[in-house]
Amino acid sequence: MSEVLNPEMLLLIFAAAVATFLTRVGGYVLITRMKTIPPRMEQALNAVPAAVLTTLVAPAFFNGGWDVKIAMSVALLVSLRYPGLIMLAAGWAAAMASRHLLGF
Amino acid sequence: MKREDIIDGLKGGAIIAISSAPFAILFGAVAVDNGLSVLDAAIMSATVYAGASQLVGIELFDHHVAPWLIVLSVFAVNFRHILYSAALTRFITHFSPVQKFFAFFLLTDPQFAESVKRGEDGRGVSFEWYLGFGLSIYFPWLFFSTVGAWFGSMMGDPRTLAIDVLLPTYFMGLVLGFRRRSGFYPVVLASTLGSIAAYHFVGSPWHVSIGAAVGVAVAALLPLPASEPEPMAEKAEA
């Protein structure tokens, strides 16, 4: 991990920045051009964030050890009542406890 | 009036900045854990400026996913901004092209929510307010990501401090945030099964795109809600 700039990493970051900017300006460009989005396409687009994020959560849970499973289950239960930051803190505390106290 | 707008913007933004600071620190710490330098993390926060997608990006980077897939995933996670900018347009028609450029660059979830609130209750969205609000989130975001990255680079094994658990837990929170959307449960179930199956039969990193594709396909095939969908232009004017 050096502080020397890696051109490939920089290129990747800038590409991600351009992609992000395109989403931020895209609706403005579209709305001046397009009258309707087909309903099925809209339904599919609405599902994109949950679908992508789930693929980062599910394997982490199923492939993780008991420490990870306990932490994420605790976080899931806490999230039913409390906002994101408290959920995150509860999950973290559960992971710390299961690693350092229970020895998973 | 203008002065008031700036102060209003700075105040409102400061609240968001404080509540997003832990996520900025989390981003910085995880970025370094996933192989970015402190400077990389700072540049990413300064140029991408979209928390969830930055975390998704560095997570995929750690999985050695093909670069185009990382960029596509960042695009996908940020896709909601297309709807934001479409709906914001009617409130900022008085902005100059340069002002619009900055407005769209700074367009985050809270920025959108607050702008719509002001636009609808008659206070109006002045550029002074918008910029004050946006920059008082932007600079703290940059600052706290750098602080997080710096702490992350001082830390030894991330497992000892359970830093590695934070990211999947955070993503799980984001997923749960969508649970009131129609089709949530079938989509999540489909993506779960798709990603787990792909993880075992195809392997990482493909489980991400395959699992996501399965979920999106299920969403497209679900029955449409009974009400007629409104055209986008009408929705933006409603």
Side-chain angles (χ1 to χ4, degrees):
Chain A
M1 227 175 309
S2 68
E3 286 307 298
V4 180
L5 279 177
N6 170 355
E8 273 171 43
M9 174 64 84
L10 268 187
L11 204 62
L12 182 60
I13 290 172
F14 285 132
V18 170
T20 303
F21 186 76
L22 286 180
T23 65
R24 283 179 167 148
V25 80
Y28 169 76
V29 174
L30 277 179
I31 198 138
T32 48
R33 247 151 250 219
M34 195 171 172
K35 285 276 173 271
T36 58
I37 288 186
R40 278 200 190 277
M41 190 200 233
E42 193 180 350
Q43 200 162 280
L45 292 179
N46 276 336
V48 167
V52 172
L53 292 168
T54 298
T55 67
L56 297 176
V57 177
F61 179 85
F62 289 105
N63 299 328
W66 280 107
D67 49 348
V68 175
K69 286 188 174 74
I70 290 171
M72 290 179 77
S73 306
V74 167
L76 179 69
L77 288 178
V78 169
S79 77
L80 299 178
R81 292 256 340 237
Y82 300 98
L85 227 45
I86 295 177
M87 178 208 76
L88 203 57
W92 176 81
M96 287 295 276
S98 57
R99 277 178 196 169
H100 298 287
L101 302 176
L102 303 176
F104 281 121
Chain B
M1 182 62 199
K2 298 277 182 206
R3 221 185 114 84
E4 249 171 59
D5 276 9
I6 296 175
I7 292 170
D8 249 23
L10 291 175
K11 265 197 220 154
I15 297 167
I16 308 291
I18 292 166
S19 52
S20 63
F23 293 107
I25 292 172
L26 168 69
F27 164 74
V30 178
V32 168
D33 178 34
N34 285 13
L36 274 74
S37 69
V38 175
L39 191 57
D40 289 333
I43 291 173
M44 194 173 190
S45 275
T47 59
V48 178
Y49 183 49
S53 74
Q54 287 176 228
L55 287 165
V56 171
I58 55 170
E59 176 69 5
L60 293 176
F61 178 76
D62 192 45
H63 284 268
H64 303 287
V65 175
W68 64 268
L69 193 57
I70 298 180
V71 175
L72 188 69
S73 303
V74 168
F75 183 82
V77 173
N78 284 322
F79 203 85
R80 66 189 188 286
H81 292 110
I82 289 188
L83 302 175
Y84 293 173
S85 54
L88 182 70
T89 297
R90 69 196 159 119
F91 296 119
I92 61 164
T93 46
H94 56 286
F95 286 15
S96 73
V98 175
Q99 288 177 334
K100 278 182 187 149
F101 176 86
F102 284 109
F104 288 126
F105 177 76
L106 291 171
L107 184 57
T108 54
D109 305 75
Q111 185 91 40
F112 172 71
E114 284 300 317
S115 299
V116 169
K117 216 193 274 172
R118 282 181 78 92
E120 282 175 353
D121 69 16
R123 279 176 294 173
V125 182
S126 69
F127 186 66
E128 288 79 7
W129 172 82
Y130 194 101
L131 198 66
F133 191 86
L135 292 182
S136 64
I137 302 172
Y138 180 83
F139 287 112
W141 177 259
L142 182 53
F143 173 75
F144 286 115
S145 330
T146 312
V147 169
W150 186 76
F151 273 119
S153 66
M154 300 283 113
M155 225 154 37
D157 180 9
R159 269 185 57 88
T160 314
L161 284 175
I163 302 298
D164 57 313
V165 182
L166 291 176
L167 211 45
T169 307
Y170 170 70
F171 290 141
M172 185 174 71
L174 290 183
V175 170
L176 292 168
F178 295 114
R179 69 178 178 272
R180 291 190 218 296
R181 281 197 189 179
S182 66
F184 173 80
Y185 293 99
V187 167
V188 166
L189 184 65
S191 292
T192 299
L193 296 177
S195 63
I196 298 288
Y199 194 95
H200 284 290
F201 297 116
V202 188
S204 177
W206 294 102
H207 68 285
V208 176
S209 36
I210 294 172
V214 174
V216 170
V218 165
L221 294 173
L222 284 176
L224 291 168
S227 63
E228 274 296 294
E230 311 160 69
M232 250 185 105
E234 271 176 42
K235 216 183 272 173
E237 276 152 25

Coordinates of all heavy atoms in Angstrom, one line a residue, chain B residues 135-184:
Chain B
L135 N -22.3 22.0 -0.4 CA -20.8 22.1 0.0 C -20.6 21.7 1.5 O -19.6 21.2 1.8 CB -20.3 23.4 -0.4 CG -20.1 23.7 -1.9 CD1 -19.5 25.1 -2.1 CD2 -19.4 22.6 -2.6
S136 N -21.6 22.0 2.3 CA -21.4 21.7 3.7 C -21.6 20.2 4.0 O -21.4 19.7 5.1 CB -22.4 22.5 4.6 OG -23.7 22.3 4.4
I137 N -22.0 19.5 2.9 CA -22.0 18.0 3.0 C -20.7 17.5 2.3 O -20.0 16.6 2.8 CB -23.2 17.3 2.4 CG1 -24.5 17.9 3.0 CG2 -23.2 15.8 2.5 CD1 -25.8 17.4 2.3
Y138 N -20.4 18.1 1.2 CA -19.3 17.6 0.4 C -17.9 17.7 1.1 O -17.2 16.7 1.1 CB -19.2 18.5 -0.9 CG -18.1 18.1 -1.9 CD1 -18.2 17.1 -2.8 CD2 -16.8 18.8 -1.8 CE1 -17.2 16.7 -3.6 CE2 -15.8 18.4 -2.7 CZ -16.0 17.4 -3.6 OH -15.0 17.1 -4.4
F139 N -17.6 18.8 1.7 CA -16.2 18.9 2.3 C -16.1 18.0 3.5 O -15.0 17.4 3.7 CB -15.9 20.4 2.5 CG -15.5 21.1 1.3 CD1 -16.4 22.1 0.8 CD2 -14.4 20.7 0.5 CE1 -16.1 22.7 -0.4 CE2 -14.1 21.4 -0.7 CZ -14.9 22.4 -1.2
P140 N -17.1 18.0 4.4 CA -17.0 17.0 5.5 C -16.9 15.6 5.0 O -16.1 14.8 5.6 CB -18.2 17.2 6.3 CG -18.6 18.6 6.0 CD -18.2 18.9 4.6
W141 N -17.6 15.2 4.0 CA -17.5 13.9 3.4 C -16.1 13.6 3.0 O -15.5 12.5 3.3 CB -18.5 13.7 2.2 CG -18.4 12.4 1.6 CD1 -17.7 12.1 0.4 CD2 -18.9 11.2 2.0 NE1 -17.8 10.8 0.2 CE2 -18.6 10.2 1.1 CE3 -19.7 10.8 3.2 CZ2 -19.0 8.8 1.3 CZ3 -20.1 9.5 3.3 CH2 -19.7 8.5 2.4
L142 N -15.5 14.5 2.3 CA -14.1 14.4 1.9 C -13.1 14.3 3.1 O -12.3 13.4 3.1 CB -13.7 15.6 1.0 CG -12.3 15.6 0.4 CD1 -12.1 14.4 -0.4 CD2 -12.3 16.9 -0.5
F143 N -13.4 15.2 4.1 CA -12.5 15.2 5.2 C -12.6 13.9 6.0 O -11.6 13.3 6.3 CB -12.9 16.4 6.1 CG -12.2 16.4 7.4 CD1 -10.9 16.8 7.5 CD2 -12.8 16.1 8.6 CE1 -10.2 16.9 8.7 CE2 -12.2 16.1 9.8 CZ -10.9 16.5 9.9
F144 N -13.8 13.4 6.3 CA -14.0 12.2 7.1 C -13.5 11.0 6.4 O -13.1 10.0 7.1 CB -15.4 12.1 7.7 CG -15.7 13.1 8.8 CD1 -16.6 14.1 8.6 CD2 -15.0 13.0 10.0 CE1 -16.9 15.0 9.6 CE2 -15.2 14.0 11.0 CZ -16.2 15.0 10.8
S145 N -13.7 10.9 5.1 CA -13.2 9.7 4.4 C -11.7 9.7 4.5 O -11.1 8.6 4.7 CB -13.4 9.8 2.9 OG -14.6 10.4 2.5
T146 N -11.0 10.8 4.4 CA -9.5 10.8 4.5 C -9.1 10.4 5.9 O -8.2 9.7 6.1 CB -9.0 12.2 4.2 OG1 -9.6 12.7 3.0 CG2 -7.5 12.2 4.0
V147 N -9.8 10.9 6.9 CA -9.5 10.6 8.3 C -9.7 9.1 8.5 O -8.8 8.4 9.1 CB -10.5 11.3 9.3 CG1 -10.4 10.7 10.7 CG2 -10.2 12.8 9.3
G148 N -10.8 8.5 8.0 CA -11.0 7.1 8.1 C -10.0 6.3 7.4 O -9.5 5.3 7.9
A149 N -9.5 6.7 6.2 CA -8.5 6.0 5.5 C -7.2 6.1 6.2 O -6.4 5.1 6.3 CB -8.3 6.7 4.1
W150 N -6.9 7.2 6.8 CA -5.7 7.4 7.6 C -5.7 6.4 8.8 O -4.7 5.7 9.1 CB -5.5 8.8 8.0 CG -4.2 9.1 8.6 CD1 -3.0 9.2 8.0 CD2 -3.9 9.2 10.1 NE1 -2.0 9.4 9.0 CE2 -2.6 9.4 10.2 CE3 -4.8 9.2 11.2 CZ2 -2.0 9.6 11.4 CZ3 -4.2 9.4 12.4 CH2 -2.8 9.6 12.6
F151 N -6.8 6.4 9.5 CA -6.9 5.4 10.7 C -6.8 4.0 10.2 O -6.2 3.2 10.8 CB -8.2 5.6 11.4 CG -8.1 6.7 12.4 CD1 -8.9 7.8 12.4 CD2 -7.2 6.6 13.5 CE1 -8.8 8.8 13.3 CE2 -7.1 7.6 14.5 CZ -7.9 8.7 14.4
G152 N -7.5 3.7 9.0 CA -7.4 2.4 8.5 C -6.0 1.9 8.2 O -5.7 0.8 8.4
S153 N -5.2 2.9 7.7 CA -3.8 2.5 7.3 C -3.0 2.3 8.6 O -1.9 1.7 8.5 CB -3.2 3.5 6.4 OG -3.0 4.7 7.1
M154 N -3.4 2.8 9.7 CA -2.7 2.6 11.0 C -3.0 1.3 11.7 O -2.3 0.8 12.5 CB -3.0 3.7 12.0 CG -2.8 5.1 11.6 SD -1.0 5.5 11.7 CE -0.6 5.7 10.0
M155 N -4.2 0.8 11.2 CA -4.8 -0.4 11.9 C -4.1 -1.7 11.4 O -3.8 -1.7 10.3 CB -6.3 -0.5 11.6 CG -7.2 -0.7 12.7 SD -8.8 0.0 12.4 CE -9.0 -0.3 10.7
G156 N -4.0 -2.7 12.2 CA -3.4 -3.9 11.8 C -4.5 -4.8 11.1 O -5.1 -4.3 10.1
D157 N -4.7 -6.0 11.6 CA -5.6 -6.9 11.0 C -7.1 -6.4 11.2 O -7.5 -6.2 12.3 CB -5.5 -8.3 11.7 CG -6.4 -9.3 11.1 OD1 -7.1 -9.0 10.1 OD2 -6.5 -10.4 11.7
P158 N -7.8 -6.2 10.1 CA -9.2 -5.6 10.2 C -10.1 -6.5 11.0 O -11.1 -6.1 11.6 CB -9.7 -5.4 8.8 CG -8.8 -6.3 8.0 CD -7.4 -6.4 8.7
R159 N -9.8 -7.8 11.1 CA -10.7 -8.8 11.8 C -10.7 -8.5 13.3 O -11.7 -8.6 14.0 CB -10.2 -10.2 11.6 CG -10.8 -10.9 10.4 CD -10.4 -12.3 10.3 NE -10.7 -13.1 11.5 CZ -11.9 -13.7 11.7 NH1 -12.8 -13.6 10.8 NH2 -12.1 -14.3 12.9
T160 N -9.5 -8.0 13.8 CA -9.5 -7.8 15.3 C -10.5 -6.7 15.7 O -11.1 -6.8 16.8 CB -8.0 -7.3 15.6 OG1 -7.1 -8.2 15.0 CG2 -7.8 -7.3 17.1
L161 N -10.6 -5.7 14.8 CA -11.6 -4.6 15.2 C -12.9 -4.8 14.4 O -13.7 -4.0 14.4 CB -11.0 -3.3 14.9 CG -9.9 -2.8 15.9 CD1 -9.3 -1.5 15.4 CD2 -10.6 -2.6 17.2
A162 N -13.1 -6.0 13.8 CA -14.3 -6.4 13.1 C -14.7 -5.4 12.0 O -15.9 -5.1 11.8 CB -15.5 -6.5 14.1
I163 N -13.7 -4.8 11.4 CA -14.0 -3.8 10.3 C -14.6 -4.6 9.1 O -15.4 -4.1 8.4 CB -12.7 -3.1 9.9 CG1 -12.1 -2.4 11.0 CG2 -13.0 -2.1 8.7 CD1 -12.9 -1.3 11.6
D164 N -14.2 -5.8 8.9 CA -14.6 -6.6 7.8 C -16.1 -6.9 7.8 O -16.7 -7.2 6.7 CB -13.8 -7.9 7.7 CG -14.0 -8.8 8.9 OD1 -13.8 -8.2 10.0 OD2 -14.2 -10.0 8.8
V165 N -16.7 -6.9 9.0 CA -18.2 -7.2 9.1 C -19.0 -6.0 8.7 O -20.2 -6.1 8.3 CB -18.5 -7.7 10.5 CG1 -20.0 -8.0 10.7 CG2 -17.6 -8.8 10.9
L166 N -18.4 -4.8 8.8 CA -19.2 -3.6 8.6 C -19.8 -3.5 7.3 O -21.0 -3.1 7.1 CB -18.3 -2.3 8.9 CG -17.9 -2.2 10.4 CD1 -17.0 -1.0 10.5 CD2 -19.1 -2.0 11.3
L167 N -19.1 -3.8 6.2 CA -19.5 -3.6 4.9 C -20.7 -4.4 4.5 O -21.8 -3.9 4.1 CB -18.4 -3.8 3.9 CG -18.4 -2.9 2.6 CD1 -18.8 -1.5 2.9 CD2 -17.1 -3.0 1.9
P168 N -20.7 -5.8 4.7 CA -21.9 -6.5 4.3 C -23.1 -6.1 5.2 O -24.2 -6.1 4.7 CB -21.5 -8.0 4.6 CG -20.1 -8.0 5.1 CD -19.5 -6.6 5.0
T169 N -22.8 -5.8 6.5 CA -23.9 -5.3 7.3 C -24.5 -4.0 6.8 O -25.7 -3.9 6.8 CB -23.4 -5.1 8.8 OG1 -22.7 -6.3 9.2 CG2 -24.5 -4.9 9.7
Y170 N -23.6 -3.1 6.4 CA -24.1 -1.9 5.9 C -24.9 -2.1 4.6 O -26.0 -1.5 4.4 CB -22.9 -1.0 5.6 CG -23.2 0.3 4.8 CD1 -24.0 1.3 5.3 CD2 -22.8 0.4 3.5 CE1 -24.3 2.4 4.6 CE2 -23.1 1.5 2.7 CZ -23.8 2.6 3.3 OH -24.1 3.7 2.6
F171 N -24.5 -3.0 3.7 CA -25.2 -3.3 2.5 C -26.6 -3.9 2.8 O -27.6 -3.7 2.2 CB -24.4 -4.2 1.6 CG -23.3 -3.5 0.9 CD1 -22.1 -4.2 0.8 CD2 -23.3 -2.2 0.5 CE1 -21.0 -3.6 0.2 CE2 -22.3 -1.6 -0.1 CZ -21.1 -2.3 -0.2
M172 N -26.6 -4.8 3.8 CA -27.8 -5.4 4.3 C -28.8 -4.3 4.7 O -30.0 -4.4 4.3 CB -27.6 -6.4 5.4 CG -28.8 -7.2 5.8 SD -28.4 -8.5 7.0 CE -28.1 -7.5 8.5
G173 N -28.3 -3.3 5.4 CA -29.2 -2.2 5.8 C -29.8 -1.5 4.6 O -31.0 -1.1 4.6
L174 N -28.9 -1.3 3.6 CA -29.4 -0.6 2.4 C -30.5 -1.5 1.7 O -31.5 -0.9 1.3 CB -28.3 -0.4 1.4 CG -27.2 0.7 1.7 CD1 -26.2 0.8 0.6 CD2 -27.9 2.0 2.0
V175 N -30.2 -2.8 1.6 CA -31.2 -3.7 1.0 C -32.6 -3.5 1.8 O -33.6 -3.4 1.2 CB -30.7 -5.1 1.0 CG1 -31.8 -6.1 0.6 CG2 -29.5 -5.3 0.0
L176 N -32.5 -3.6 3.1 CA -33.7 -3.6 3.9 C -34.4 -2.3 3.7 O -35.7 -2.2 3.9 CB -33.4 -3.8 5.4 CG -32.9 -5.2 5.7 CD1 -32.3 -5.3 7.1 CD2 -34.0 -6.2 5.5
G177 N -33.7 -1.2 3.4 CA -34.3 0.1 3.2 C -35.3 0.1 2.0 O -36.2 1.0 1.9
F178 N -35.1 -0.9 1.1 CA -36.0 -1.0 0.0 C -37.2 -1.9 0.2 O -38.0 -2.2 -0.7 CB -35.3 -1.5 -1.2 CG -34.2 -0.6 -1.7 CD1 -32.8 -1.0 -1.6 CD2 -34.5 0.6 -2.3 CE1 -31.8 -0.2 -2.1 CE2 -33.5 1.5 -2.7 CZ -32.1 1.1 -2.6
R179 N -37.4 -2.3 1.5 CA -38.4 -3.4 1.7 C -39.8 -3.0 1.5 O -40.7 -3.9 1.3 CB -38.2 -4.1 3.1 CG -38.5 -3.2 4.3 CD -38.3 -4.1 5.5 NE -38.6 -3.3 6.8 CZ -37.7 -2.6 7.4 NH1 -36.5 -2.5 6.9 NH2 -38.0 -2.0 8.5
R180 N -40.1 -1.7 1.4 CA -41.5 -1.4 1.1 C -41.8 -1.3 -0.4 O -42.9 -1.0 -0.8 CB -41.9 -0.1 1.8 CG -41.9 -0.3 3.3 CD -42.4 0.8 4.1 NE -41.7 1.0 5.4 CZ -41.7 0.1 6.4 NH1 -42.3 -1.0 6.2 NH2 -41.0 0.3 7.4
R181 N -40.8 -1.4 -1.2 CA -41.0 -1.3 -2.6 C -41.8 -2.6 -3.1 O -41.5 -3.7 -2.6 CB -39.7 -1.3 -3.4 CG -39.1 0.1 -3.4 CD -38.0 0.2 -4.4 NE -37.3 1.4 -4.3 CZ -36.3 1.8 -5.1 NH1 -35.9 1.0 -6.1 NH2 -35.7 2.9 -4.9
S182 N -42.6 -2.4 -4.1 CA -43.3 -3.6 -4.6 C -42.3 -4.5 -5.2 O -41.3 -4.1 -5.9 CB -44.4 -3.2 -5.6 OG -43.8 -2.7 -6.8
G183 N -42.5 -5.8 -5.0 CA -41.6 -6.8 -5.6 C -40.3 -7.0 -4.8 O -39.5 -7.7 -5.3
F184 N -40.2 -6.4 -3.6 CA -39.0 -6.5 -2.9 C -38.6 -8.0 -2.5 O -37.5 -8.4 -2.8 CB -39.1 -5.7 -1.6 CG -37.9 -5.9 -0.7 CD1 -36.7 -5.2 -0.9 CD2 -38.0 -6.7 0.4 CE1 -35.7 -5.3 0.0 CE2 -36.9 -6.9 1.3 CZ -35.7 -6.2 1.1

